[in-house]
């Protein structure tokens, strides 16, 4: 399972206080800025000093968006194309980790054979050379770097994975399926969803780290109900701890961050 990702503009985070509904507006103190590039399908972005690092699923490229607004391509071309359900796959996220850049690369496009750089976490050095950190993923959708590890969400396995400095992988959390009430599904199909409840995959999509806890956005699987998305948190150093609810009632959340005041920022895909 994976979330729908064909976004041609990836821009703003919405400030969301727990227990409130997200509105398509900019929170006080924030500025909304949109940018696009002809032919690109942006998949993720992160900061690199004053620049933004952006992934492009349409062309398998990585870009720096400079403060003046121009785009500079860098690094190799990554595998890209459409997956088995027609959504774009390619480099989902890129971030700086010390003297290297780390890319979360999606699963193999449907029309090509599997290669060494598919469904993998990949490091790029200052000379642009690639090194596979670990390729034992199904769909590594987002990651965050800590002092001695990377934490990766595998959307297809519904899990949070920890990669040590040696690339060895450990599963920290496998999310249970999310239970939805049948009343929320009757409008889709009264004959199919007529039981007491219905379960969907959790589909973790976004991850960030703050004060020893990993915060994870759960997109929610098919049929992608409005308000079915959540944010939960787990301890960074503890394996198998029960997830702590943080925010619910979200519409397909895909990314998380915290600002300098400790406020949670959530990017929602919106209604599917």
């Amino acid at each position: 399972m994976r979330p729908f990702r064909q976004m041609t503009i990836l821009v703003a985070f919405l400030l969301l206080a727990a227990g409130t509904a997200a509105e398509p507006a900019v929170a006080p103190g924030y500025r909304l800025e949109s940018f696009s590039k002809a032919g690109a399908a942006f998949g993720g972005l992160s900061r690199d000093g004053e620049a933004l690092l952006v992934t492009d699923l349409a062309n398998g490229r990585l870009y720096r968006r400079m403060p003046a607004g121009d785009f500079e391509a860098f690094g190799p071309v990554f595998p890209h194309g459409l997956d088995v359900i027609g959504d774009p796959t390619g480099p989902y996220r890129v971030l700086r980790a010390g003297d290297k850049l780390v890319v979360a690369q999606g699963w193999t496009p449907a029309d090509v054979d599997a290669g060494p750089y598919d469904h993998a976490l990949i490091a790029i050095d200052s000379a642009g050379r690639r090194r596979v950190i670990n390729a034992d993923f199904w769909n590594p959708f987002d990651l965050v770097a800590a002092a001695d590890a990377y934490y990766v969400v595998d959307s297809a396995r519904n899990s949070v994975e920890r990669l040590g400095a040696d690339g060895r992988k450990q599963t920290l959390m496998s999310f249970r399926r999310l239970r939805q009430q049948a009343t929320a599904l009757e409008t889709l199909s009264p004959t199919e969803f007529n039981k007491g409840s219905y379960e969907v995959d959790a589909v973790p999509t976004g991850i960030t780290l703050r004060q020893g806890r990993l915060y994870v956005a759960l997109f929610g699987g098919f049929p992608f109900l409005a308000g079915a998305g959540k944010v939960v948190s787990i301890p960074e150093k503890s394996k198998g701890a029960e997830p702590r609810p943080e925010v619910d009632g979200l519409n397909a959340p895909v990314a998380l961050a915290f600002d300098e005041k400790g406020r949670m920022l959530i990017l929602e895909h919106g209604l599917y």
Side-chain angles (χ1 to χ4, degrees):
M1 197 86 188
R2 62 183 294 272
F4 181 81
R5 291 295 301 163
Q6 193 166 9
M7 292 188 288
T8 56
I9 300 177
L10 181 57
V11 189
F13 286 93
L14 296 174
L15 179 64
L16 187 73
T20 64
E23 298 293 338
V26 182
Y30 289 82
R31 179 172 55 90
L32 178 65
E33 178 185 355
S34 299
F35 63 83
S36 62
K37 180 176 176 57
F42 292 153
L45 83 170
S46 64
R47 285 205 172 275
D48 186 19
E50 293 300 313
L52 292 175
L53 302 178
V54 190
T55 65
D56 177 11
L57 298 177
N59 302 290
R61 295 309 311 265
L62 309 177
Y63 293 100
R64 282 188 180 87
R65 184 182 185 267
M66 307 307 291
D70 51 321
F71 288 89
E72 295 181 358
F74 68 92
V77 177
F78 284 85
H80 59 284
L82 299 181
D83 64 19
V84 293
I85 59 173
D87 285 346
T89 183
Y92 290 143
R93 299 282 196 270
V94 57
L95 57 78
R96 177 164 294 284
D99 60 352
K100 60 183 174 295
L101 298 171
V102 182
V103 177
Q105 169 67 26
W107 54 15
T108 310
D111 60 347
V112 298
D113 294 331
Y117 300 112
D118 291 313
H119 49 75
L121 212 64
I122 300 163
I124 305 175
D125 65 18
S126 58
R129 295 182 295 251
R130 282 182 288 191
R131 175 179 64 86
V132 175
I133 302 172
N134 191 295
D136 184 22
F137 296 98
W138 287 357
N139 202 36
F141 196 71
D142 196 9
L143 76 155
V144 64
D148 60 348
Y150 302 106
Y151 295 97
V152 185
V153 288
D154 193 327
S155 294
R157 282 178 169 150
N158 294 293
S159 65
V160 176
E161 310 289 341
R162 182 188 188 276
L163 266 64
D166 59 358
R168 195 168 299 175
K169 184 165 71 74
Q170 175 192 29
T171 299
L172 287 186
M173 172 64 61
S174 294
F175 292 102
R176 292 190 293 268
R177 288 166 63 85
L178 305 178
R179 186 176 297 275
Q180 307 295 334
Q181 293 303 312
T183 53
L185 298 155
E186 287 174 350
T187 56
L188 298 176
S189 174
T191 57
E192 181 179 359
F193 304 115
N194 57 5
K195 299 180 180 179
S197 63
Y198 184 77
E199 291 184 342
V200 301
D201 284 333
V203 192
T205 48
I207 188 169
T208 193
L209 175 63
R210 181 173 184 268
Q211 296 181 348
R213 294 192 71 84
L214 293 163
Y215 292 78
V216 182
L218 303 181
F219 189 92
F222 178 83
F224 312 110
L225 295 173
K230 304 176 185 295
V231 174
V232 299
S233 70
I234 59 175
E236 177 189 1
K237 299 297 184 181
S238 177
K239 180 181 177 181
E242 190 71 16
R244 185 175 76 189
E246 300 289 347
V247 184
D248 59 14
L250 299 173
N251 294 325
V254 292
L256 294 171
F258 283 90
D259 70 6
E260 67 279 359
K261 295 181 179 179
R263 295 177 294 187
M264 186 186 297
L265 306 170
I266 301 172
L267 178 66
E268 293 184 285
H269 181 78
L271 298 179
Y272 189 81

